């Protein structure tokens, strides 16, 4: 007899069959093929619809240019910092909102010029034959497509479709928004080229460009975009420092229109040059503005003093008057000029000190040279403070980091504190000089008071006039000097290689990337689905899974029955399916021999649940025994849900139930079948107490009587996983066959079977895998030893019945129809 030690290991094993897993995945090849076809089709459609992306560059250099007119005698002095600081400033400026606002406004890039392409609208900037002259103070329709069709060379038709009664407007003069009411529907109107369009939602004049080419009958589209949104799109200009030279910058942009990219790159550099030069000239500009305001008051003062001098000279012998005071006049003028210079310096220091303490914007500070101050500490620090203040105001539009602003504020605070200390020191020295000059002026005035009254009056008037004239001349000289310096200044930014469309520049779309992505997704999507099915599906798929789940021997693999009848072996005795049952018969005979079973042999066939093929296996195993001329009987012991009578077209009025309640004898309930040597005993009418009838002594008597008449007794029992009837019948059986159906029986039921065998509730148990399809997605076949596996290869030719060719063709046609519907 078989002993439990022959299959003592019942626990699930965690080994993973990688090869089997790959074969399962390969079984779903149709899914992968369809998924790949769909993904590649989508990638192709995306590629042909995507606009081409171009990348263009321009190359500039940053070189600190000194003014050729700066000399050691030049009063205006500038200090702009090192080149590295300026490169960082330029990089920040190029990406700042304020800078890009100026460029977008100059180029009017908030206007889209479009034409209809094969799949979508295409940016036609630079290719349209016209340009729009906007009235920026009035509103323009925002976001909507405006169709412009040229009826002739001088007349165009305006067409707009309004879906809502209210539309948004934008006023580009101040970038504000508003709305206006319109009539829902299509608006159409014709205008002449150059005619002013004055509508509640449009205000422009359309002008034809020089050399426009042929455009009659062509349709173009115009769209007005939000100003701030447009600026944000262009803030992404890439700025990269050259590895070989830190002062060389590469500016690059990407877009769908090369003409638009070329214009923007060159315009942004030109705007940068202008702004940098304006910033560089800020020192001179502040000086000129201060001198101009001073000269206005000096002119009136000089005129007033001149008129006073003319009035005094009238009716006087001016020669006699002047002779006595010339030497005193020249001397005191010299002292007055010295005093004025000192006074202006002190006034400048006082004004600068007050400005530093009360203001935070130092970009308007005048140059110290306007007051004749040449102290390098004062000049350099004022220049540095102006540069830092200007740079900080530039960064306010582009940089959001509070740390950077704090760093600038700390630098300006340090310069300001140094300046305040310098002012205190400089003022102390000037106060001493002023006291000295005042004492000299006092000595000269005491001598003058001894002169005649007319000479004193003349010296007094001439003294005022000469002082005013001297100051006025000095200021004119300094203004002229500032103008010359300003005009001679050079920008530190230079074009090395302006942006230009020389062909090429195509960087996208990356069609190959899309196809690679399609390949990846085409494999990944069905793979994920298969994995979900694999991990969610808890049913038995192949023999390998059975061997991993249990050590109970597997003695047979039965294929799928393609016929409508259950009598597969009898109808096609040479089929592969019949051979699989014969293989099971051989295994059973070996088991009976091993157990030394003499005489009649009993076989119980059960399963976990209904639908796994117990009755089908019972009939065909009994048939192979009968075909070997062994008297065989099938006993239907599924008293709850009998099916056996349907397969043999018998009446279920009498059966086992009638015998157990002593209504009928064995002969009365035995039915002969069309198969020689095979009888069948049906279950009979469904009783109210099937479990009690099964455990009654009458069943033992029935088995004993059948052993006297038959060689093989096949017991068709109910599922052991649902009811306990089969467990009660195990005592009458020599061997138990447990039917497992592929892709139907659950793995948990095998664990339950292991427990029952381990506890001894089922003895001499073997497993039969039913409904097996030798396809990759179910794993590998079980091999030659069980009949059905080798029936699918060329070695089976001549041993098994072949299906008619017409039947194969019909199956192929049906499969193709299903695929087409899918």
């Amino acid at each position: 007899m078989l002993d439990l030690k022959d299959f003592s290991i019942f626990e699930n094993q965690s080994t993973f069959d990688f090869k089997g897993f790959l074969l399962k995945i390969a079984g779903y090849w149709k899914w992968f093929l369809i998924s790949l076809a769909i993904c590649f089709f989508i990638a192709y459609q995306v590629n042909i619809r995507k606009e081409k992306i171009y990348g263009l560059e321009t190359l500039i250099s940053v070189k600190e240019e000194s003014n050729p007119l700066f000399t050691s005698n030049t009063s205006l002095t500038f200090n702009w910092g090192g080149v590295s600081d300026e490169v960082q400033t330029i990089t920040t400026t190029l990406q700042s909102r304020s800078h890009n606002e100026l460029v977008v406004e100059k180029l009017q890039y908030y206007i889209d010029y479009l034409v209809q392409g094969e799949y979508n609208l295409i940016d036609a900037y630079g290719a349209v034959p016209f340009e729009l002259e906007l009235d920026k103070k009035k509103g323009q329709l925002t976001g909507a497509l405006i169709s412009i069709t040229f009826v002739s060379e001088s007349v165009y038709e305006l067409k707009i479709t309004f879906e809502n009664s209210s539309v948004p407007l934008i006023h580009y003069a101040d970038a504000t928004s508003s709305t206006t009411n319109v009539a829902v529907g299509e608006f159409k109107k014709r205008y002449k080229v150059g005619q002013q369009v004055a509508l509640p939602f449009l205000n422009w004049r359309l002008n034809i460009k020089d050399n426009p080419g042929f455009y009659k009958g062509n349709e173009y589209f115009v769209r007005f975009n939000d100003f701030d949104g447009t600026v944000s799109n262009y803030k992404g200009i890439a700025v990269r420092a050259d590895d070989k030279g830190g002062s060389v910058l590469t500016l690059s942009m990407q877009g769908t229109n090369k003409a638009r990219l070329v214009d923007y790159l060159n315009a942004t550099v030109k705007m940068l040059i202008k702004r940098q030069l304006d910033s560089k000239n800020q020192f001179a500009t502040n000086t000129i503005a201060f001198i101009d305001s001073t000269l206005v008051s000096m002119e009136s003062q000089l005129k007033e003093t001149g008129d006073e001098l003319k009035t005094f000279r009238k009716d006087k012998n001016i020669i006699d008057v002047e002779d006595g005071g010339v030497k005193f006049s020249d001397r005191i003028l010299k002292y007055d000029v010295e005093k004025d210079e000192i006074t202006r310096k002190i006034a400048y220091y006082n004004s600068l000190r007050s400005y530093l303490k009360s203001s935070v914007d130092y970009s308007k500070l005048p140059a110290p040279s306007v007051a004749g101050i040449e102290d390098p500490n004062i000049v350099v620090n004022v220049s540095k403070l102006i540069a830092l203040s200007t740079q900080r105001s530039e960064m306010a539009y582009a940089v959001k980091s509070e740390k950077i602003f704090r760093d600038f504020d700390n630098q300006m605070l340090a310069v300001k504190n140094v300046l305040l200390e310098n002012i205190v020191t400089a003022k102390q020295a000037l106060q001493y000089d002023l006291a000295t000059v005042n004492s000299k002026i006092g000595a000269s005035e005491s001598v003058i008071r001894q002169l005649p009254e007319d000479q004193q009056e003349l010296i007094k008037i001439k003294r005022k006039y000469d002082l005013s004239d001297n100051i006025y001349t000095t200021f004119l000289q300094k203004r002229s000097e500032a103008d010359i310096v300003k005009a001679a200044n050079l920008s530190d930014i230079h074009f090395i290689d302006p942006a230009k469309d020389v062909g090429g520049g195509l960087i996208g779309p990356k069609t190959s990337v899309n196809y690679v992505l399609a390949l990846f997704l085409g494999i990944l999507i069905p793979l994920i689905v298969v994995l979900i099915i694999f991990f969610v599906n808890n049913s038995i798929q192949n023999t390998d899974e059975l061997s991993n789940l249990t050590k109970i021997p597997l003695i047979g693999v039965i294929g799928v029955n393609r016929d409508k009848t259950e009598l597969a072996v009898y109808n096609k005795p040479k089929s592969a399916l019949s051979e699989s049952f014969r293989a099971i018969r051989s295994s059973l005979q070996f088991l009976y021999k091993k157990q030394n079973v003499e005489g009649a042999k009993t076989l119980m066939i059960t399963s976990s649940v209904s639908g796994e093929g117990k009755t089908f296996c019972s009939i065909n195993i009994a048939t192979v025994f009968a075909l070997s001329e062994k008297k065989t009987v099938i006993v239907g012991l599924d008293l709850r849900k009998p099916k056996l009578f349907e397969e043999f077209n018998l009446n279920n009025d009498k059966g086992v139930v009638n015998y157990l309640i002593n209504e009928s004898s064995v002969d009365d309930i035995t039915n002969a079948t069309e198969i020689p040597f095979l009888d069948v005993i049906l279950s009979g009418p469904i009783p109210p107490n099937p479990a009690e009838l099964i455990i009654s002594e009458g069943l033992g008597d029935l088995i004993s009587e059948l052993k006297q008449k038959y060689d093989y007794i096949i017991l068709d029992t109910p599922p052991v996983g649902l009811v306990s009837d089969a467990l009660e019948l195990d005592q009458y059986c020599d061997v138990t066959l447990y039917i497992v159906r592929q892709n139907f029986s659950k793995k948990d039921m095998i664990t339950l079977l292991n427990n029952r065998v381990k506890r001894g509730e089922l003895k001499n148990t073997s497993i039969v895998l039913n409904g097996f399809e030798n396809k990759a997605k179910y794993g590998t076949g079980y091999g030659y030893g069980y009949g059905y596996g080798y029936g699918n290869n060329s070695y089976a030719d001549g041993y098994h019945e072949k299906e008619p060719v017409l039947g194969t063709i019909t199956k192929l046609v049906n499969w193709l129809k299903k695929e087409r519907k899918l």
Side-chain angles (χ1 to χ4, degrees), residues 161-447:
T161 301
F162 293 113
E163 297 181 355
N164 300 310
S165 59
S166 178
V167 293
L169 304 178
I170 186 168
H171 305 261
Y172 288 115
D174 52 6
T176 57
S177 301
S178 63
T179 58
T180 188
N181 294 327
V182 295
V184 177
E186 189 175 71
F187 171 85
K188 280 186 180 181
K189 195 170 183 179
R190 294 188 177 186
Y191 291 92
K192 291 183 179 180
V193 171
Q195 180 183 353
Q196 180 67 39
V197 176
L199 296 169
F201 47 85
L202 280 182
N203 295 275
W204 76 37
R205 181 180 285 107
L206 186 146
N207 300 317
I208 298 296
K209 295 179 179 179
D210 295 334
N211 302 319
F214 180 79
Y215 58 90
K216 179 182 176 182
N218 293 347
E219 183 180 24
Y220 303 93
F221 297 92
V222 171
R223 180 170 55 207
F224 295 103
N225 299 309
D226 176 65
F227 182 79
D228 292 333
T230 304
V231 172
S232 296
N233 293 336
Y234 286 97
K235 282 176 62 181
I237 184 171
V239 184
R240 184 179 71 256
D242 194 281
D243 296 334
K244 299 178 181 179
S247 62
V248 178
L249 296 178
T250 301
L251 280 59
S252 60
M253 290 185 70
Q254 296 180 6
T256 59
N257 187 292
K258 288 199 281 187
R260 187 182 288 274
L261 297 178
V262 168
D263 286 354
Y264 197 88
L265 284 171
N266 290 333
T268 195
V269 174
K270 290 176 182 177
M271 183 63 68
L272 181 66
I273 291 173
K274 178 182 179 301
R275 296 187 72 194
Q276 195 269 343
L277 190 56
D278 289 344
S279 176
K280 195 171 185 180
N281 286 332
Q282 186 67 50
F283 206 30
T285 302
N286 293 352
T287 301
I288 292 171
F290 179 81
I291 292 175
D292 285 343
S293 63
T294 305
L295 286 176
V296 173
S297 61
M298 291 301 299
E299 282 179 356
S300 60
Q301 184 178 346
L302 187 60
K303 184 177 181 301
E304 181 182 344
T305 310
D307 292 341
E308 187 178 354
L309 184 59
K310 286 179 183 179
T311 305
F312 177 80
R313 287 176 173 176
K314 192 179 294 184
D315 301 329
K316 287 185 175 66
N317 187 354
I318 196 65
I319 296 174
D320 294 337
V321 174
E322 290 180 345
D323 281 344
V326 170
K327 59 180 181 180
F328 298 106
S329 178
D330 292 340
R331 186 190 304 168
I332 203 167
L333 175 61
K334 177 184 175 183
Y335 296 150
D336 283 339
V337 170
E338 288 182 18
K339 180 180 179 180
D340 179 71
E341 289 179 357
I342 295 171
T343 304
R344 277 192 287 116
K345 289 179 181 180
I346 293 175
Y348 179 85
Y349 284 138
N350 290 333
S351 176
L352 179 60
R353 181 175 180 275
S354 175
Y355 193 88
L356 290 175
K357 289 190 173 183
S358 62
S359 179
V360 292
D361 181 13
Y362 309 113
S363 61
K364 304 299 183 182
L365 284 175
S369 60
V370 298
I373 297 173
E374 297 178 359
D375 183 347
N377 292 326
I378 301 294
V379 173
V380 169
N381 286 326
V382 168
S383 173
K384 188 182 293 185
L385 197 58
I386 292 173
L388 286 171
S389 182
T390 304
Q391 188 175 349
R392 188 190 188 283
S393 63
E394 291 283 351
M395 295 182 66
Y397 292 94
V399 180
K400 302 301 181 186
S401 173
E402 291 295 332
K403 182 180 181 302
I404 294 177
F405 286 124
R406 284 197 300 270
D407 291 343
F408 267 90
D409 292 338
N410 291 335
Q411 291 182 54
M412 288 191 290
L413 180 61
V415 174
K416 186 174 73 170
N417 290 334
V418 172
L419 263 177
L420 291 172
E421 292 294 331
N422 291 337
I423 289 170
V424 172
T425 303
K427 280 181 65 177
Q428 289 175 353
L430 288 175
Q431 293 291 349
Y432 175 79
D433 293 341
L434 181 61
T436 302
V437 172
N438 283 332
S439 65
K440 292 180 180 180
I441 291 174
S444 298
E445 286 179 344
S446 64
V447 175

Side-chain angles (χ1 to χ4, degrees), residues 689-709:
N689 55 345
E692 285 71 18
L693 289 177
I694 290 293
I695 62 175
S696 65
E697 295 181 359
L699 185 60
D701 296 338
L702 175 62
I703 300 297
S704 297
E705 286 192 51
L706 292 177
K707 284 184 177 183
Q708 302 300 321
K709 299 175 63 178

